[in-house]
Amino acid sequence: MTTSIISALDACYSETQTQKGDRHPYCTLVWRRDQLLVKPLGKLKQPYLPVLDDEQLLVECLKRSSVKLVRIDPKLGEAKLNLWANACEQASKPIYLRINSGKNYHISESPLLKTFKRLGDRIVALLFLLVISPIALGLGLLMQLSSSEPILEREWHVGERGRLFRGFKFRTTALNKKTGLHNLPLILNVVRGEMSLTGPRCWTLAEALELSAKEQPQLNQLPGVVGSWQVEEAESNQLILDSVNSFEL
């Protein structure tokens, strides 16, 4: 393992840009084979690189580099993680959270069974999309008439082995969250291979950052639409019960 600043990043700024105000580096870049590890600052001193704070410059540098994927430490915080996730998305580079795999975590399914399950999920998801397309189109038209805001929300979620992906949902402000209809577009994530029809809850990036080291192994599994739907319904019912109890008091 060699610790260094990637040469492509180093070439993306001029000498006049190196020091602007009282700014300091916030991360350590570690070059490991074809992976770029983005870690909190350690003992190794590194110069301040303005490119690491500018999304478009970071996109260009990632495009020029030979990096095949990025792994980023969740300790850097939501703002920096969103910056890197957005840049990697535009540069077509996969990005993963560096998470605790857990001693008890193991893959119980055989690779062949796993492949067939994912293929089955995609086929069923495509058929389901054909069935619900009239409903989804109707909901989309209603939301378009009620507001000029985008119909779909594209929030960062954490998938299998910590990989970040965009989860598709209808705007919750336009739909009653208790119905769960805003989750329908998650079927698109199943078609893309980012989720399964059944499985554990799919955590948003913001939610994943609140997990403890012991809870992080949950992020190693392929999340499911049904699991996420059930969790949201349970949370919604809990909010209703809490509201009623508060009113009675």
Side-chain angles (χ1 to χ4, degrees), residues 133-186:
S133 56
I135 300 174
L137 180 61
L139 289 173
L141 289 174
L142 286 174
M143 286 187 285
Q144 193 71 43
L145 292 173
S146 64
S147 174
S148 59
E149 296 180 14
I151 296 173
L152 292 178
E153 294 178 342
R154 298 176 66 249
E155 191 174 8
W156 285 112
H157 287 66
V158 184
E160 189 177 24
R161 294 184 293 120
R163 181 166 184 171
L164 299 184
F165 69 93
R166 294 281 194 181
F168 298 101
K169 292 186 180 183
F170 283 130
R171 268 189 300 110
T172 53
T173 54
L175 294 174
N176 187 346
K177 193 167 184 180
K178 289 184 292 183
T179 65
L181 290 177
H182 65 290
N183 284 317
L184 284 177
L186 286 177

Side-chain angles (χ1 to χ4, degrees), residues 96-116:
Y96 292 77
L97 281 185
R98 294 188 69 212
I99 55 178
N100 178 22
S101 60
K103 295 181 180 179
N104 297 325
Y105 174 76
H106 64 279
I107 300 175
S108 57
E109 294 180 332
S110 67
L112 184 60
L113 181 61
K114 188 176 180 179
T115 300
F116 276 115

Side-chain angles (χ1 to χ4, degrees), residues 22-231:
D22 187 22
R23 307 196 71 173
H24 303 280
Y26 62 84
C27 65
T28 298
L29 302 182
V30 181
W31 190 224
R32 182 178 293 172
R33 295 179 182 176
D34 293 326
Q35 300 181 21
L36 175 64
L37 306 184
V38 187
K39 304 166 60 177
L41 283 176
K43 295 181 179 179
L44 182 67
K45 293 183 178 180
Q46 293 191 168
Y48 169 67
L49 300 177
V51 65
L52 299 181
D53 285 309
D54 188 297
E55 185 175 310
Q56 289 308 310
L57 286 178
L58 186 55
V59 170
E60 293 302 317
C61 291
L62 287 170
K63 285 181 178 179
R64 297 178 193 175
S65 74
S66 58
V67 170
K68 291 186 177 179
L69 65 86
V70 174
R71 293 192 182 276
I72 188 166
D73 197 304
K75 293 178 183 177
L76 290 174
E78 187 177 357
K80 296 303 182 185
L81 264 64
N82 273 294
L83 170 70
W84 277 87
N86 294 337
C88 286
E89 179 183 38
Q90 296 175 63
S92 300
K93 306 281 186 178
I95 181 169
Y96 292 77
L97 281 185
R98 294 188 69 212
I99 55 178
N100 178 22
S101 60
K103 295 181 180 179
N104 297 325
Y105 174 76
H106 64 279
I107 300 175
S108 57
E109 294 180 332
S110 67
L112 184 60
L113 181 61
K114 188 176 180 179
T115 300
F116 276 115
K117 183 179 184 300
R118 293 200 175 188
L119 180 60
D121 277 344
R122 291 186 178 187
I123 293 173
V124 173
L126 282 171
L127 293 174
F128 187 69
L129 278 177
L130 291 176
V131 173
I132 68 168
S133 56
I135 300 174
L137 180 61
L139 289 173
L141 289 174
L142 286 174
M143 286 187 285
Q144 193 71 43
L145 292 173
S146 64
S147 174
S148 59
E149 296 180 14
I151 296 173
L152 292 178
E153 294 178 342
R154 298 176 66 249
E155 191 174 8
W156 285 112
H157 287 66
V158 184
E160 189 177 24
R161 294 184 293 120
R163 181 166 184 171
L164 299 184
F165 69 93
R166 294 281 194 181
F168 298 101
K169 292 186 180 183
F170 283 130
R171 268 189 300 110
T172 53
T173 54
L175 294 174
N176 187 346
K177 193 167 184 180
K178 289 184 292 183
T179 65
L181 290 177
H182 65 290
N183 284 317
L184 284 177
L186 286 177
I187 299 298
L188 292 172
N189 293 111
V190 179
V191 175
R192 289 159 58 104
E194 297 159 334
M195 294 184 68
S196 174
L197 290 175
T198 59
R201 175 182 184 174
C202 184
W203 301 88
T204 66
L205 176 57
E207 292 170 338
L209 296 181
E210 298 296 325
L211 297 178
S212 65
K214 291 183 179 180
E215 295 171 321
Q216 282 185 0
Q218 300 175 56
L219 303 175
N220 282 298
Q221 305 175 63
L222 186 68
V225 174
V226 174
S228 302
W229 205 310
Q230 291 173 339
V231 168

